[in-house]
Amino acid sequence: MRMDSLRLSARLLKLKQEKQAVLLAHYYQEASIQDAADFVGDSLELARAAKGTDAKIIVFAGVHFMAEGAKILNPSKKVLLPDLRAGCSLSDSCPPDRFANFKTNHPDHFVVSYINCSAAIKAQSDVICTSSNAVRIVERVPKDRPILFAPDKNLGAWVEKQTGRKMTLWPGSCIVHETFSERKLVQLKVENPGALVIAHPECEEEILRHADFIGSTAALLRFTKESHSQAFIVVTEAGILHAMQCASPNKVFIPSPPNQACACNDCPFMKLNTLEKVVRCLEEESPEILLEESLRSRAEAPLIRMLEWS
Ligand code: 13P
Ligand code: SF4
């Protein structure tokens, strides 16, 4: 660990004790934040951790919809996001007014929304899901109800295949998971014949069809720990490689290349957070996530239903 990171981590530890704060981090955060966090997880694990914490302050090292989710579940706690600009292209692809029209055009539909959406979309949903529990949640929807699934069309299409239930999909997607090149992935498979391909279900079908295992961020991590394979081609945001490498130091993890010669498999929103911003936001207790109570309580019901159903 660099000196800067050591100094910042020590400062963070002191602040967390003084202020009874907890640091929750997503696997897509930079390594120094994951190493300093009290809990690192995927979206479902983080929602559960946020629900279960007795800390007074939650510092959420992730993106806005995640911190907002923690606030929805903890109205009396202070929830901080190190950089308020940490949004999400998938969440942004589903504006609340257009979604309300979409619902009006599909009366009688049961609305399942992926957690990667704003509180205003959650408030219009019957139940929320994450990539870990989407199949289980959709299977619990009463069989006589048609389903609207938002906002990720790739996850939705994958869930349709797993459950055999046809759904009407909102046409949203994630800029990171749509960046992978099928041609380069196939080339990488040829160059690494022993490696297993593991992919996140936010990827497109032409990528997923090459995968040996498909799952949420935490499921991919678990798979690499339990598998006898020694090498993996990882088709998701590159931040997860840190946890994979820490858990299995002798295994080889190859990030799947994006289409262009860029670091597009790093989520630009997730990577807005830095350890320095984490420390500063706890020092200043800002930026804070604030939500109007009637919106919060409407968004809470489908989130609680998700936690009960999974
Ligand atoms: P999970 O944490 O559910 O794997 O989702 C990945 C993601 O894109 C988070 O933004
Ligand atoms: Fe959103 Fe994609 Fe970034 Fe996840 S990886 S926060 S879905 S843009």
Side-chain angles (χ1 to χ4, degrees), residues 2-14:
R2 286 180 44 223
M3 191 55 212
D4 263 10
S5 295
L6 281 176
R7 191 179 49 77
L8 288 166
S9 299
R11 174 83 189 120
L12 181 64
L13 192 60
K14 194 158 174 283

Side-chain angles (χ1 to χ4, degrees), residues 26 28 42-43 65-66 114 116 131 200 202 216-217 270:
H26 191 269
Y28 295 168
D42 71 356
S43 303
F65 74 79
M66 295 179 171
Y114 188 31
N116 299 33
S131 55
H200 195 281
E202 284 178 24
S216 76
T217 315
M270 287 277 183

Side-chain angles (χ1 to χ4, degrees), residues 230-303:
Q230 291 304 303
F232 303 87
I233 298 172
V234 183
V235 202
T236 188
E237 211 270 359
I240 186 63
L241 271 79
H242 176 64
M244 288 175 173
Q245 200 69 76
C246 289
S248 309
N250 297 323
K251 295 185 179 179
V252 176
F253 300 97
I254 308 158
S256 189
N259 255 316
Q260 290 92 19
C262 62
C264 308
N265 52 349
D266 269 326
C267 172
F269 306 106
M270 287 277 183
K271 296 313 198 266
L272 280 172
N273 295 327
T274 61
L275 189 56
E276 197 169 356
K277 289 183 195 172
V278 169
V279 173
R280 195 184 320 134
C281 88
L282 188 51
E283 249 161 13
E284 296 174 359
E285 299 192 17
S286 171
E288 182 180 358
I289 302 289
L290 296 168
L291 266 177
E292 196 251 311
E293 177 52 24
S294 79
L295 173 61
R296 188 208 66 79
S297 63
R298 279 180 291 127
E300 184 181 25
L303 254 183

